[in-house]
Short mmCIF file of all heavy atoms in Angstrom, two decimals:
data_model
loop_
_atom_site.label_atom_id
_atom_site.label_comp_id
_atom_site.label_asym_id
_atom_site.label_seq_id
_atom_site.Cartn_x
_atom_site.Cartn_y
_atom_site.Cartn_z
N HIS T 115 46.15 -36.25 79.84
CA HIS T 115 45.81 -37.51 80.48
C HIS T 115 47.03 -38.40 80.69
O HIS T 115 47.88 -38.51 79.81
CB HIS T 115 44.83 -38.32 79.58
CG HIS T 115 43.58 -37.57 79.27
ND1 HIS T 115 42.48 -37.57 80.08
CD2 HIS T 115 43.28 -36.75 78.23
CE1 HIS T 115 41.55 -36.80 79.56
NE2 HIS T 115 42.01 -36.29 78.45
N ASP T 116 47.06 -39.04 81.85
CA ASP T 116 48.07 -40.05 82.11
C ASP T 116 47.69 -41.28 81.28
O ASP T 116 46.69 -41.91 81.52
CB ASP T 116 48.09 -40.40 83.61
CG ASP T 116 49.08 -41.50 83.96
OD1 ASP T 116 49.70 -42.08 83.05
OD2 ASP T 116 49.19 -41.78 85.16
N ALA T 117 48.50 -41.58 80.26
CA ALA T 117 48.19 -42.72 79.36
C ALA T 117 49.11 -43.89 79.63
O ALA T 117 49.11 -44.86 78.88
CB ALA T 117 48.36 -42.26 77.92
N SER T 118 49.85 -43.84 80.74
CA SER T 118 50.82 -44.89 81.01
C SER T 118 50.17 -46.25 81.23
O SER T 118 50.80 -47.27 81.04
CB SER T 118 51.69 -44.52 82.23
OG SER T 118 50.87 -44.37 83.37
N TYR T 119 48.90 -46.25 81.62
CA TYR T 119 48.20 -47.50 81.85
C TYR T 119 47.30 -47.87 80.67
O TYR T 119 46.64 -48.91 80.70
CB TYR T 119 47.38 -47.43 83.14
CG TYR T 119 46.31 -46.40 83.12
CD1 TYR T 119 45.01 -46.73 82.72
CD2 TYR T 119 46.57 -45.08 83.48
CE1 TYR T 119 44.01 -45.75 82.67
CE2 TYR T 119 45.59 -44.13 83.44
CZ TYR T 119 44.31 -44.47 83.04
OH TYR T 119 43.34 -43.50 82.99
N TRP T 120 47.20 -47.03 79.64
CA TRP T 120 46.38 -47.31 78.49
C TRP T 120 46.98 -48.49 77.73
O TRP T 120 48.17 -48.52 77.41
CB TRP T 120 46.25 -46.13 77.57
CG TRP T 120 45.49 -44.96 78.12
CD1 TRP T 120 45.03 -44.81 79.40
CD2 TRP T 120 45.14 -43.78 77.45
NE1 TRP T 120 44.40 -43.60 79.56
CE2 TRP T 120 44.46 -42.93 78.37
CE3 TRP T 120 45.30 -43.32 76.15
CZ2 TRP T 120 43.96 -41.70 78.02
CZ3 TRP T 120 44.84 -42.05 75.82
CH2 TRP T 120 44.14 -41.26 76.72
N GLN T 121 46.15 -49.42 77.40
CA GLN T 121 46.63 -50.60 76.65
C GLN T 121 46.77 -50.23 75.17
O GLN T 121 45.95 -49.49 74.64
CB GLN T 121 45.63 -51.76 76.79
CG GLN T 121 45.47 -52.23 78.21
CD GLN T 121 46.76 -52.79 78.77
OE1 GLN T 121 47.48 -53.49 78.10
NE2 GLN T 121 47.07 -52.44 79.98
N PRO T 122 47.80 -50.76 74.53
CA PRO T 122 47.90 -50.56 73.08
C PRO T 122 46.65 -51.13 72.41
O PRO T 122 46.05 -52.09 72.89
CB PRO T 122 49.13 -51.35 72.67
CG PRO T 122 49.92 -51.45 73.93
CD PRO T 122 48.91 -51.52 75.04
N TYR T 123 46.24 -50.51 71.30
CA TYR T 123 45.09 -51.02 70.58
C TYR T 123 45.48 -51.53 69.20
O TYR T 123 46.50 -51.12 68.67
CB TYR T 123 43.98 -49.95 70.49
CG TYR T 123 44.34 -48.81 69.50
CD1 TYR T 123 43.91 -48.89 68.18
CD2 TYR T 123 45.06 -47.70 69.92
CE1 TYR T 123 44.23 -47.89 67.28
CE2 TYR T 123 45.37 -46.68 69.02
CZ TYR T 123 44.96 -46.79 67.72
OH TYR T 123 45.27 -45.80 66.83
N ARG T 124 44.68 -52.38 68.66
CA ARG T 124 44.94 -52.92 67.33
C ARG T 124 44.05 -52.17 66.33
O ARG T 124 42.81 -52.16 66.44
CB ARG T 124 44.60 -54.43 67.27
CG ARG T 124 45.01 -55.05 65.98
CD ARG T 124 45.10 -56.60 66.21
NE ARG T 124 45.64 -57.28 65.09
CZ ARG T 124 46.93 -57.37 64.80
NH1 ARG T 124 47.81 -56.75 65.53
NH2 ARG T 124 47.34 -58.06 63.73
N ASP T 125 44.70 -51.48 65.39
CA ASP T 125 43.96 -50.70 64.40
C ASP T 125 43.28 -51.64 63.39
O ASP T 125 43.90 -52.51 62.83
CB ASP T 125 44.94 -49.76 63.68
CG ASP T 125 44.20 -48.87 62.71
OD1 ASP T 125 43.65 -47.83 63.13
OD2 ASP T 125 44.17 -49.19 61.51
N LYS T 126 41.98 -51.44 63.20
CA LYS T 126 41.21 -52.33 62.32
C LYS T 126 41.62 -52.17 60.84
O LYS T 126 41.60 -53.15 60.10
CB LYS T 126 39.72 -52.03 62.46
CG LYS T 126 39.18 -52.44 63.82
CD LYS T 126 37.73 -52.05 63.98
CE LYS T 126 37.26 -52.35 65.40
NZ LYS T 126 35.94 -51.84 65.66
N LYS T 127 42.01 -50.98 60.42
CA LYS T 127 42.39 -50.76 59.02
C LYS T 127 43.75 -51.33 58.69
O LYS T 127 43.95 -51.94 57.65
CB LYS T 127 42.39 -49.27 58.70
CG LYS T 127 41.04 -48.71 58.32
CD LYS T 127 41.22 -47.30 57.82
CE LYS T 127 39.90 -46.74 57.34
NZ LYS T 127 40.00 -45.41 56.83
N THR T 128 44.71 -51.05 59.56
CA THR T 128 46.11 -51.40 59.22
C THR T 128 46.59 -52.67 59.89
O THR T 128 47.59 -53.25 59.48
CB THR T 128 47.06 -50.26 59.67
OG1 THR T 128 47.01 -50.15 61.09
CG2 THR T 128 46.68 -48.94 59.03
N GLY T 129 45.90 -53.09 60.95
CA GLY T 129 46.36 -54.24 61.69
C GLY T 129 47.49 -53.93 62.67
O GLY T 129 47.97 -54.80 63.40
N ASP T 130 47.93 -52.66 62.71
CA ASP T 130 49.00 -52.23 63.59
C ASP T 130 48.53 -52.27 65.04
O ASP T 130 47.38 -51.93 65.33
CB ASP T 130 49.45 -50.80 63.30
CG ASP T 130 50.22 -50.66 62.01
OD1 ASP T 130 50.63 -51.71 61.45
OD2 ASP T 130 50.40 -49.52 61.54
N THR T 131 49.43 -52.62 65.94
CA THR T 131 49.17 -52.43 67.37
C THR T 131 49.87 -51.14 67.73
O THR T 131 51.05 -50.95 67.47
CB THR T 131 49.75 -53.61 68.17
OG1 THR T 131 49.11 -54.78 67.74
CG2 THR T 131 49.48 -53.39 69.66
N VAL T 132 49.12 -50.19 68.28
CA VAL T 132 49.62 -48.84 68.53
C VAL T 132 49.55 -48.52 70.01
O VAL T 132 48.52 -48.77 70.67
CB VAL T 132 48.79 -47.82 67.75
CG1 VAL T 132 49.32 -46.40 67.96
CG2 VAL T 132 48.77 -48.15 66.26
N GLY T 133 50.62 -47.93 70.55
CA GLY T 133 50.65 -47.47 71.92
C GLY T 133 50.75 -45.97 72.00
O GLY T 133 51.19 -45.33 71.04
N TYR T 134 50.31 -45.40 73.13
CA TYR T 134 50.26 -43.95 73.27
C TYR T 134 51.44 -43.34 74.03
O TYR T 134 51.54 -42.13 74.12
CB TYR T 134 48.98 -43.53 73.99
CG TYR T 134 47.74 -43.75 73.16
CD1 TYR T 134 46.91 -44.82 73.42
CD2 TYR T 134 47.41 -42.87 72.14
CE1 TYR T 134 45.75 -45.03 72.67
CE2 TYR T 134 46.26 -43.04 71.39
CZ TYR T 134 45.45 -44.13 71.64
OH TYR T 134 44.31 -44.32 70.91
N GLY T 135 52.29 -44.13 74.63
CA GLY T 135 53.32 -43.59 75.49
C GLY T 135 52.76 -43.14 76.81
O GLY T 135 51.62 -43.46 77.17
N PRO T 136 53.51 -42.34 77.57
CA PRO T 136 53.11 -42.03 78.96
C PRO T 136 52.00 -40.98 79.10
O PRO T 136 51.33 -40.93 80.13
CB PRO T 136 54.41 -41.55 79.59
CG PRO T 136 55.22 -41.01 78.46
CD PRO T 136 54.86 -41.86 77.28
N TRP T 137 51.82 -40.10 78.12
CA TRP T 137 50.83 -39.02 78.27
C TRP T 137 50.07 -38.83 76.95
O TRP T 137 50.59 -39.08 75.87
CB TRP T 137 51.49 -37.69 78.65
CG TRP T 137 52.12 -37.75 79.97
CD1 TRP T 137 53.44 -38.03 80.27
CD2 TRP T 137 51.46 -37.57 81.24
NE1 TRP T 137 53.63 -38.04 81.62
CE2 TRP T 137 52.45 -37.74 82.23
CE3 TRP T 137 50.17 -37.24 81.60
CZ2 TRP T 137 52.13 -37.62 83.58
CZ3 TRP T 137 49.85 -37.13 82.94
CH2 TRP T 137 50.86 -37.29 83.91
N PHE T 138 48.85 -38.36 77.06
CA PHE T 138 48.03 -38.01 75.89
C PHE T 138 47.52 -36.58 76.11
O PHE T 138 46.80 -36.31 77.08
CB PHE T 138 46.83 -38.97 75.75
CG PHE T 138 46.07 -38.75 74.47
CD1 PHE T 138 46.43 -39.40 73.33
CD2 PHE T 138 44.97 -37.90 74.44
CE1 PHE T 138 45.73 -39.22 72.12
CE2 PHE T 138 44.26 -37.69 73.25
CZ PHE T 138 44.65 -38.36 72.09
N ILE T 139 47.94 -35.68 75.24
CA ILE T 139 47.54 -34.29 75.32
C ILE T 139 46.41 -34.10 74.32
O ILE T 139 46.62 -34.04 73.12
CB ILE T 139 48.74 -33.37 75.01
CG1 ILE T 139 49.87 -33.63 76.02
CG2 ILE T 139 48.31 -31.90 75.00
CD1 ILE T 139 51.21 -33.08 75.58
N ARG T 140 45.20 -34.09 74.85
CA ARG T 140 43.99 -34.04 74.00
C ARG T 140 43.78 -32.62 73.48
O ARG T 140 43.82 -31.66 74.24
CB ARG T 140 42.77 -34.50 74.78
CG ARG T 140 41.51 -34.66 73.95
CD ARG T 140 40.35 -35.23 74.74
NE ARG T 140 40.67 -36.49 75.38
CZ ARG T 140 40.68 -37.68 74.78
NH1 ARG T 140 40.39 -37.77 73.52
NH2 ARG T 140 40.99 -38.77 75.46
N LEU T 141 43.52 -32.53 72.19
CA LEU T 141 43.22 -31.24 71.55
C LEU T 141 41.71 -31.14 71.27
O LEU T 141 41.08 -32.16 70.96
CB LEU T 141 44.02 -31.08 70.25
CG LEU T 141 45.52 -31.28 70.32
CD1 LEU T 141 46.16 -31.10 68.95
CD2 LEU T 141 46.16 -30.34 71.35
N LYS T 142 41.20 -29.95 71.35
CA LYS T 142 39.79 -29.72 70.96
C LYS T 142 39.77 -29.37 69.50
O LYS T 142 40.13 -28.25 69.11
CB LYS T 142 39.21 -28.60 71.85
CG LYS T 142 37.73 -28.48 71.71
CD LYS T 142 37.17 -27.50 72.72
CE LYS T 142 35.66 -27.49 72.62
NZ LYS T 142 35.08 -26.62 73.64
N THR T 143 39.38 -30.35 68.66
CA THR T 143 39.46 -30.23 67.22
C THR T 143 38.08 -30.49 66.56
O THR T 143 37.99 -31.38 65.72
CB THR T 143 40.49 -31.21 66.65
OG1 THR T 143 40.10 -32.53 67.04
CG2 THR T 143 41.87 -30.91 67.14
N PRO T 144 37.06 -29.71 66.91
CA PRO T 144 35.76 -30.03 66.34
C PRO T 144 35.76 -29.93 64.80
O PRO T 144 36.47 -29.07 64.26
CB PRO T 144 34.84 -28.96 66.93
CG PRO T 144 35.75 -27.90 67.44
CD PRO T 144 37.07 -28.50 67.71
N PRO T 145 35.05 -30.81 64.13
CA PRO T 145 34.13 -31.80 64.62
C PRO T 145 34.78 -33.14 64.99
O PRO T 145 34.11 -34.11 65.29
CB PRO T 145 33.18 -32.00 63.42
CG PRO T 145 34.07 -31.82 62.23
CD PRO T 145 35.06 -30.74 62.66
N TRP T 146 36.11 -33.20 64.96
CA TRP T 146 36.83 -34.45 65.21
C TRP T 146 37.11 -34.62 66.70
O TRP T 146 37.34 -33.63 67.41
CB TRP T 146 38.16 -34.49 64.43
CG TRP T 146 38.02 -33.88 63.07
CD1 TRP T 146 38.57 -32.73 62.60
CD2 TRP T 146 37.22 -34.38 61.98
NE1 TRP T 146 38.19 -32.47 61.32
CE2 TRP T 146 37.37 -33.51 60.92
CE3 TRP T 146 36.43 -35.50 61.85
CZ2 TRP T 146 36.74 -33.68 59.69
CZ3 TRP T 146 35.80 -35.69 60.61
CH2 TRP T 146 35.96 -34.80 59.57
N SER T 147 37.14 -35.83 67.14
CA SER T 147 37.50 -36.10 68.54
C SER T 147 38.64 -37.13 68.56
O SER T 147 38.88 -37.80 67.57
CB SER T 147 36.30 -36.61 69.34
OG SER T 147 35.85 -37.83 68.79
N GLY T 148 39.31 -37.23 69.69
CA GLY T 148 40.38 -38.23 69.82
C GLY T 148 41.68 -37.83 69.20
O GLY T 148 42.58 -38.65 69.05
N ILE T 149 41.84 -36.54 68.85
CA ILE T 149 43.08 -36.06 68.25
C ILE T 149 43.94 -35.46 69.37
O ILE T 149 43.46 -34.72 70.21
CB ILE T 149 42.83 -34.97 67.18
CG1 ILE T 149 41.91 -35.52 66.05
CG2 ILE T 149 44.16 -34.45 66.61
CD1 ILE T 149 42.52 -36.60 65.20
N GLY T 150 45.23 -35.81 69.39
CA GLY T 150 46.09 -35.28 70.40
C GLY T 150 47.56 -35.42 70.07
O GLY T 150 47.93 -35.84 68.98
N ILE T 151 48.36 -35.06 71.05
CA ILE T 151 49.81 -35.23 70.99
C ILE T 151 50.15 -36.34 71.97
O ILE T 151 49.72 -36.27 73.12
CB ILE T 151 50.53 -33.90 71.38
CG1 ILE T 151 50.10 -32.77 70.47
CG2 ILE T 151 52.05 -34.11 71.35
CD1 ILE T 151 50.54 -31.37 70.95
N HIS T 152 50.85 -37.34 71.52
CA HIS T 152 51.17 -38.46 72.42
C HIS T 152 52.49 -39.08 72.04
O HIS T 152 53.08 -38.78 71.01
CB HIS T 152 50.03 -39.48 72.40
CG HIS T 152 49.76 -40.16 71.12
ND1 HIS T 152 50.54 -41.21 70.64
CD2 HIS T 152 48.82 -39.95 70.18
CE1 HIS T 152 50.07 -41.63 69.50
NE2 HIS T 152 49.04 -40.87 69.16
N GLY T 153 52.93 -40.02 72.90
CA GLY T 153 54.17 -40.74 72.68
C GLY T 153 53.96 -41.91 71.74
O GLY T 153 52.96 -41.97 71.02
#
Side-chain angles (χ1 to χ4, degrees):
H115 303 273
D116 178 355
S118 61
Y119 62 92
W120 292 8
Q121 297 298 317
Y123 72 93
R124 189 161 187 79
D125 184 82
K126 292 176 185 172
K127 276 189 176 180
T128 65
D130 289 347
T131 300
V132 181
Y134 291 103
W137 295 94
F138 187 88
I139 301 164
R140 187 175 305 280
L141 306 181
K142 190 171 185 177
T143 58
W146 321 112
S147 62
I149 302 293
I151 302 169
H152 63 80

